[in-house]
Amino acid sequence: MSPDPMAWGGGWADPEPDDYLHNPDPRRDRKTDGGGTIFTARGFMNVGCLTILVLALLMLFAGYPLMTAVQRTQQSTSGAYNLGGINGSGQVPDMPMHFGLIDSDTPQEAWTWTSFTGEAYELVFSDEFNLDGRTFWPGDDPYWEAVDLHYWGTNNLEWYSPRQVTTRNGNLEITLDDITSHNLNYEGGMISTWNKFCFTGGYMSASISLPGSSDVYGLWPAWWSMGNLWVMDAAELVTAEALMECGRELFTAYNDGSKSFNKRLNSSYSYDSCDVGTLANQSLNSLPRTAFTRGDENWDGTLSFLPGQRLSRCTCPGEPHPGPRDSNGEWVGRAAPEIDVIEAQVDATTRIGHVSMSSQWAPFDADYQWYNTSETYTIYNPNVDHLNTYRGGVYQQASSVVVLTDQEAYGGVKFSEYGVDYKPGTDGYITWSVDHQARSGLRANPIVEIGPRPVPGEPLYLLLNQGISENFGAVDYDNLIFPSVMYVDWVRVYQPVGKRNIGCDPPDFPTKAYIEMYPEAYSKSVVAFSSVLRVPPTSASPSPICLA
C-alpha cells in the first residue's frame, strides 16, 4: 500500500456525522467561552468537601494535641511513689473488684461529715469491707497489710498472723484463737496502712463490734494511729541500739535483775523545741531537779528514762534527719506520735465494758499530770466517763479517758462507731467520740516548763488489732471463749473541705527519703540491725549545743 493517504480511497477526508462536536462555533459557544462560574450547586459541594477535609486534617494534627495539652490534669503521687498515687507496694489503688481511696460501696450520705465545731468535712478514704474473702498478706491489698510477728514489747501472749485477718459477711474479721503458734499459746491479727495510706488532721472513724462480751475481761482489741516514721513489721526483730538510731516508736523488753518493765524507746514525742525536753532523762547536768523528784514513785521519783528525741530540733550537723528545715535553717522536731481511738477493756471488778481513748506524749509533765483545766481538757459526759487513773511512768505519759461502751456492741451482735477528730499544731485539739457523740477532748498544753507540745502534725497511718496481754490488765482465762472475733463494718477518714492532706510523704513532714535511707531497718527480713545505721559518733546524745 502506498504511503500516501490520498491513495487509500474510502472517503477518509469526507465530513463525518459528529464533526460538529469538535468544530468551534463562536455563536454557539459564546456563553461558555467566558469561563462560567463556580457558584453552582456542584461547585459548592466540591469546595465544601475540600474545606471539611482540610479542617479535619488540621484538627487531627494540630487541634487535638493542643487541646490535650491544655486540658491534661497533672498527675499526683498522692503522697505515694509514682504517678497516679501508686502506693508503697507498687500497686495501683483502683483495682478490678476492689476500690480506690474511697470505696464505691460507701453510701452517698456518708461522703460528708460535720465536725463537733460545725465545720464541714469531706470523705478522703473509706473501706466498707463488703467483698468477702479478702486477704492481707504482703502484696494482697493496696492499702492494708497484716503483720506476721510477736509483739513482745508489751508481753503479748499471741503471735500476730495474717491468716487471722479476712473479710466475711460484709465485715473485716480479726480473730484471736487459743492455738499454738511460734511457741506461743495464742494467735491474733493486726493490720495497718503503714506507708500506703496516711493522713494529717481530720476525723478517723470505724464501726466496730468488740470481741467477746462486756462482762468477761482479758481481751485487748484496739483501733489506733501512728506516725509513718514507725513501722510495726520488724517489732520483734530489732535491737535497742538500732531503734534509738532509727528514731522509731517501739517497745523493747528490759530487766535489770530486780524489776521488769517495758522500756519504750523514743516514745511519742510531739515536740519542736531545742531544750532539755529533747534530752535523755529530760535533764542536763542533773537539772532541773524536778526531773529527779516529780516522776515515777517506783523509780525514786525519776521523771523519765527516755533516751531522748532522736530526730529533734537540736539535731547536729551531719546527723541523719528526715527534714524539713525551718526558714532559719533549724530542723523541725520529728518523731512517731500515737493517737489511740480505743483500747477496749472490761473492769475486772464491776464486769462492765469500757474503752480507753488516749494520746501519748513526750517529753513529760511533772508527776505526769496533764494541765487539765476547762481550757485544755474536757469530759463531755462525766456521769459515766472519767479520767484514767494511769497517767504515765518513766517511759510514757498518756492523756486518757475511760469511756463507757454500749454493753450490747460486742460479738457481732451490735456495732458502735468510734472516732477521733484532731487538728495539728500548738493551737490544735483532739476530740474522741462514740456513736457521733463527743466524749472527751483536749487542746495542746500551753503551760509546761519544757515548752509547748503541739498536737501531732506527722502523717498518721491506721491500725486495727486484737491481742491478749496481762500488761494491759487481768485476764479471765476461765471464762474467755475462743475463737474471739473483732468485727469491723467500715473504716472512714474525713478532712475539712478544701484542706485535704493525705499521703505518707507530705512536703512539711516527709518520710520517704528517710525510710529509703534505711531499707534494712524498715524491712521484715532483718534479724538484728545494730550495724545497719552508720551514724557519726556525735549523734549518740542530742544536745542544744549543736545549735548554739
Side-chain angles (χ1 to χ4, degrees):
M1 180 181 287
S2 172
D4 184 4
M6 296 294 293
W8 295 351
W12 64 272
D14 296 337
E16 296 181 358
D18 60 349
D19 280 350
Y20 77 95
L21 295 176
H22 309 289
N23 295 330
D25 186 343
R27 296 183 61 184
R28 182 193 66 194
D29 301 329
R30 62 186 178 83
K31 291 184 178 182
T32 58
D33 285 346
T37 178
I38 65 171
F39 299 106
T40 63
R42 183 175 181 178
F44 279 120
M45 292 174 63
N46 291 337
V47 172
C49 182
L50 290 173
T51 301
I52 292 173
L53 181 61
V54 170
L55 290 177
L57 292 173
L58 287 174
M59 177 60 69
L60 178 63
F61 295 107
Y64 180 73
L66 288 174
M67 291 173 60
T68 302
V70 171
Q71 297 179 354
R72 177 178 297 164
T73 300
Q74 185 65 35
Q75 292 292 317
S76 169
T77 64
S78 298
Y81 297 108
N82 297 292
L83 293 180
I86 296 174
N87 59 39
S89 62
Q91 297 168 294
V92 179
D94 197 0
M95 302 168 62
M97 298 188 68
H98 217 297
F99 50 85
L101 279 169
I102 298 178
D103 194 330
S104 58
D105 287 340
T106 303
Q108 285 296 318
E109 60 269 20
W111 282 51
T112 58
W113 182 76
T114 302
S115 75
F116 301 107
T117 61
E119 188 174 3
Y121 282 42
E122 62 182 350
L123 188 67
V124 297
F125 175 81
S126 65
D127 194 338
E128 304 296 319
F129 303 113
N130 285 345
L131 180 64
D132 287 354
R134 286 168 58 186
T135 56
F136 300 93
W137 294 84
D140 283 356
D141 196 86
Y143 299 114
W144 300 98
E145 185 171 312
V147 301
D148 194 10
L149 54 83
H150 176 215
Y151 199 54
W152 53 264
T154 47
N155 293 322
N156 281 39
L157 304 177
E158 82 289 339
W159 180 274
Y160 282 131
S161 171
R163 69 177 179 177
Q164 297 293 359
V165 186
T166 187
T167 54
R168 186 181 293 110
N169 299 323
N171 298 314
L172 173 71
E173 294 186 359
I174 302 177
T175 302
L176 176 69
D177 206 353
D178 57 345
I179 57 177
T180 302
S181 180
H182 297 79
N183 297 319
L184 297 170
N185 295 326
Y186 300 91
E187 189 175 78
M190 172 188 286
I191 61 170
S192 81
T193 64
W194 178 76
N195 218 32
K196 295 185 177 185
F197 171 77
C198 305
F199 73 107
T200 305
Y203 177 64
M204 55 181 285
S205 181
S207 177
I208 299 173
S209 184
L210 296 170
S213 62
S214 61
D215 59 355
V216 178
Y217 54 88
L219 301 176
W220 191 1
W223 156 228
W224 50 306
S225 62
M226 286 290 300
N228 197 57
L229 285 176
W230 180 72
V231 61
M232 180 75 64
D233 289 340
E236 85 290 8
L237 303 174
V238 302
T239 65
E241 292 81 3
L243 289 172
M244 292 172 68
E245 295 300 321
C246 201
R248 299 192 296 168
E249 170 84 75
L250 209 53
F251 287 98
T252 180
Y254 177 88
N255 192 311
D256 70 348
S258 61
K259 296 181 180 180
S260 181
F261 59 99
N262 287 321
K263 182 178 181 182
R264 193 168 199 179
L265 294 175
N266 227 354
S267 188
S268 297
Y269 283 92
S270 183
Y271 204 54
D272 193 27
S273 299
C274 183
D275 55 29
V276 71
T278 71
L279 301 184
N281 306 116
Q282 210 167 307
S283 63
L284 180 65
N285 299 326
S286 300
L287 295 174
R289 291 305 305 163
T290 51
F292 304 95
T293 60
R294 301 284 302 276
D296 193 333
E297 61 183 18
N298 295 318
W299 295 95
D300 300 323
T302 301
L303 181 63
S304 172
F305 280 175
L306 293 182
Q309 184 183 9
R310 177 65 190 85
L311 305 175
S312 75
R313 181 171 283 272
C314 301
T315 300
C316 300
E319 294 182 13
H321 193 288
R325 292 182 183 270
D326 278 343
S327 57
N328 61 5
E330 295 180 5
W331 293 110
V332 172
R334 302 291 301 277
E338 176 181 344
I339 299 178
D340 300 330
V341 184
I342 62 166
E343 291 175 282
Q345 59 192 72
V346 174
D347 190 299
T349 302
T350 64
R351 293 189 177 268
I352 295 176
H354 299 81
V355 290
S356 169
M357 313 186 92
S358 65
S359 56
Q360 320 302 322
W361 304 92
F364 306 152
D365 291 298
D367 303 315
Y368 314 108
Q369 182 64 57
W370 183 265
Y371 186 71
N372 55 330
T373 69
S374 59
E375 296 179 355
T376 61
Y377 213 122
T378 304
I379 298 178
Y380 295 97
N381 194 351
N383 294 326
V384 294
D385 304 335
H386 60 273
L387 282 173
N388 198 326
T389 56
Y390 173 79
R391 299 194 305 269
V394 289
Y395 294 105
Q396 179 187 46
Q397 178 178 340
S399 298
S400 173
V401 172
V402 178
V403 174
L404 182 70
T405 62
D406 182 338
Q407 302 299 289
E408 296 180 358
Y410 290 77
V413 176
K414 187 178 180 181
F415 288 76
S416 280
E417 179 182 342
Y418 301 98
V420 62
D421 177 30
Y422 81 100
K423 174 187 175 184
T426 53
D427 62 342
Y429 63 84
I430 306 176
T431 302
W432 288 266
S433 65
V434 179
D435 292 329
H436 306 284
Q437 295 182 352
R439 301 297 284 266
S440 65
L442 60 83
R443 291 188 173 273
N445 192 341
I447 305 178
V448 287
E449 295 179 10
I450 50 178
R453 289 161 299 177
V455 174
E458 295 280 344
L460 302 182
Y461 66 96
L462 312 175
L463 300 101
L464 288 154
N465 67 280
Q466 184 187 185
I468 182 171
S469 172
E470 293 182 1
N471 280 36
F472 189 62
V475 178
D476 187 356
Y477 294 102
D478 294 333
N479 294 305
L480 285 175
I481 298 175
F482 296 99
S484 169
V485 181
M486 175 182 178
Y487 299 91
V488 183
D489 186 17
W490 47 257
V491 169
R492 296 167 187 165
V493 178
Y494 300 82
Q495 290 183 319
V497 175
K499 300 179 182 178
R500 178 177 296 216
N501 188 352
I502 60 175
C504 298
D505 187 41
D508 51 346
F509 285 91
T511 67
K512 177 176 180 286
Y514 189 76
I515 292 172
E516 291 180 344
M517 187 185 303
Y518 303 115
E520 294 176 79
Y522 281 93
S523 74
K524 292 183 292 187
S525 59
V526 182
V527 175
F529 48 98
S530 57
S531 62
V532 167
L533 307 176
R534 298 171 178 83
V535 185
T538 57
S539 67
S541 178
S543 170
I545 297 175
C546 295
L547 295 179

